[in-house]
Amino acid sequence: PESKLPALGTTIFTRMSALAQQHQAINLSQGFPDFDGPAYLQARLAHHVAAGANQYAPMTGVQTLREAIADKTGALYGYQPDASDEVTITAGATEALYAAITALVRPGDEVICFDPSYDSYAPAVALSGGVLKRIALTPPAFRVDWQAFADVVSDRTRLVILNTPHNPSATVWRKADFEALWRAIAEREIYVLSDEVYEHICFAEEGHASVLAHPALRERAIAVSSFGKTYHMTGWKVGYCVAPAALSAELRKVHQYLTFSVNTPAQLALADMLRAEPSHYLELPDFYRARRDTFIKALAGSRFTLLPCEGTYFLLADYSAISSLDDVSFCEWLTTEAGVAAIPLSVFCDAPFPHKLIRLCFAKQEATLLAAAERLARL
Ligand code: PMP
Ligand code: GLN
């Protein structure tokens, strides 16, 4: 058939993980932990399965989970969403992003995103007939130039997609960025899709700035998060979004025919976990900072130049002292010849990305990080 996405291949995450497996490389490419999530969460899942909670969940999500999310949001960001009308449980953040884009973007609408950008945004925009306006951010700081942003905003702009803490650059937005965003869009009917799946993996001094903490912006925003990141269980695929009732209603129209509802016992277990152990997500910055610092220390003698990492579980490394290959070729070489798989940054960009940067996932056990660093330090 004629392809609706002719230029699109298989995602870089699938390709690099397959190559890593084929060559038995240490896989620091696709972002997932090589350790398990909390025992309590697993036990609660087993409990709810045994107790017979095995039929469809409500379309919008299990009530106790939506309530627990509403309370957590209130405690962290000073805004308590309505659990019934403003919180929706989705099949991972991926579904929330797709449903939000599909609900909001009409043919010909312009959507602004920041490159490098997570790879699921562009195909969703394209399938809705939207036109993506990509604003390129430059390493090492990857900060938004708000003047350049204002120049891209127009009467056709419908949606702005942002991600903080940011995959892959590992930078985070400041409150001032949200202020600047608001000033640039306040006069127009423009919505905001804020991908905050790494909200609890933030090392920046001022902490994670959520769109939900901005009283004006949150009236226009869909904030997205994922339990896969927070509880080290990417395979559970449970995420959620928080948005004003009118926006949530539109998003739910898509969600109800995309997946209808999400795994029931997992939602019940996550609700128990949020209530019983709030310290778990509050301790995540320390948990991941320790891994980040172990990895950075182990790479100190290498010829890679490491970029600052303010959030996420990814570290960027510049390899220009090691190779003149382009980043995709270098990652293939690194996997097959050096035994470490990584992600090239250019795949997240539309315009040519001439920098020699790779992304390494440090959501790994210390032994994995040390073994990978030893291989990388030999280059
Ligand atoms: N957004 C970003 C920035 C991500 O890094 C990821 C997953 N790595 C997702 C969304 C998707 O999250 P999920 O696995 O919950 O679908
Ligand atoms: N978001 C994960 C990453 O950035 C990958 C998710 C996926 O494989 N689709 O590595």
Side-chain angles (χ1 to χ4, degrees):
E2 188 190 340
S3 176
K4 292 181 75 175
L5 297 166
L8 208 68
T10 304
T11 83
I12 189 71
F13 307 118
T14 302
R15 284 191 283 133
M16 290 311 304
S17 277
L19 195 66
Q21 204 161 22
Q22 193 185 333
H23 292 270
Q24 285 164 16
I26 300 172
N27 189 1
L28 306 189
S29 65
Q30 187 179 28
F32 62 88
D34 71 346
F35 44 86
D36 237 345
Y40 178 75
L41 181 56
Q42 297 183 30
R44 294 312 291 167
L45 178 69
H47 164 82
H48 289 294
V49 169
N54 298 307
Q55 306 308 329
Y56 290 127
M59 183 273 279
T60 59
V62 163
Q63 180 74 16
T64 52
L65 179 57
R66 283 186 279 105
E67 283 169 1
I69 290 168
D71 289 347
K72 165 174 170 280
T73 304
L76 290 178
Y77 304 130
Y79 167 63
Q80 177 94 14
D82 183 283
S84 297
D85 296 333
E86 301 187 322
V87 181
T88 308
I89 312 300
T90 56
T94 307
E95 196 224 340
L97 293 165
Y98 191 89
I101 291 168
T102 305
L104 286 171
V105 178
R106 304 157 303 185
D109 280 346
E110 291 185 358
V111 178
I112 300 176
C113 75
F114 304 95
D115 274 6
S117 60
Y118 186 61
D119 69 340
S120 81
Y121 312 148
V125 171
L127 288 170
S128 283
V131 178
L132 201 56
K133 297 284 173 186
R134 294 162 170 269
I135 295 180
L137 307 181
T138 314
F142 293 98
R143 303 236 64 89
V144 178
D145 172 345
W146 288 104
Q147 189 50 53
F149 178 85
D151 293 343
V152 177
V153 173
S154 81
D155 290 342
R156 292 180 300 280
T157 309
R158 174 74 163 174
L159 181 66
V160 178
I161 307 177
L162 68 100
N163 169 215
T164 185
H166 184 244
N167 174 13
S169 77
T171 58
V172 304
W173 276 36
R174 311 280 184 255
K175 278 197 192 105
D177 290 305
F178 283 106
E179 266 308 318
L181 172 62
W182 174 245
R183 280 196 299 274
I185 67 169
E187 302 302 318
R188 294 186 160 95
E189 192 196 336
I190 296 175
Y191 298 94
V192 174
L193 180 54
S194 190
D195 180 347
E196 303 182 14
V197 300
Y198 300 102
E199 63 180 322
H200 298 304
I201 311 178
C202 184
F203 318 117
E205 215 162 281
E206 73 171 79
H208 170 61
S210 173
V211 74
L212 298 172
H214 192 289
L217 271 174
R218 71 172 169 247
E219 293 298 315
R220 307 257 197 103
I222 298 180
V224 171
S225 194
S226 170
F227 292 112
K229 316 291 170 191
T230 301
Y231 292 130
H232 319 305
M233 308 273 222
T234 60
W236 280 34
K237 295 299 296 186
V238 184
Y240 63 90
C241 47
V242 176
L247 274 177
S248 292
E250 290 308 307
L251 179 133
R252 289 169 176 189
K253 289 180 189 174
V254 179
H255 164 74
Q256 69 181 346
Y257 294 121
L258 190 53
T259 54
F260 180 70
S261 67
V262 176
N263 187 307
T264 307
Q267 290 189 62
L268 290 165
L270 287 162
D272 295 344
M273 183 71 199
L274 280 176
R275 294 285 187 207
E277 296 188 24
S279 59
H280 177 275
Y281 56 77
L282 297 175
E283 286 162 7
L284 270 196
D286 286 343
F287 178 85
Y288 274 117
R289 190 184 289 109
R291 279 172 172 67
R292 179 196 70 176
D293 292 346
T294 296
F295 195 38
I296 290 175
K297 202 168 145 210
L299 286 168
S302 80
R303 293 200 292 157
F304 288 94
T305 304
L306 306 179
L307 271 59
C309 170
E310 298 179 319
T312 75
Y313 43 50
F314 302 116
L315 183 65
L316 293 192
D318 182 308
Y319 63 88
S320 49
I322 297 169
S323 169
S324 57
L325 288 173
D326 66 80
D327 62 351
V328 174
S329 307
F330 182 73
C331 283
E332 284 164 5
W333 177 85
L334 196 66
T335 308
T336 59
E337 304 304 320
V340 179
I343 296 288
L345 245 67
S346 62
V347 301
F348 302 107
C349 303
D350 193 39
F353 188 77
H355 312 281
K356 300 215 174 302
L357 290 174
I358 60 172
R359 190 197 82 176
L360 299 159
C361 174
F362 60 80
K364 304 293 168 189
Q365 300 173 53
E366 184 169 321
T368 311
L369 294 174
L370 295 179
E374 193 186 312
R375 293 179 186 189
L376 295 170
R378 276 192 228 127
L379 304 174

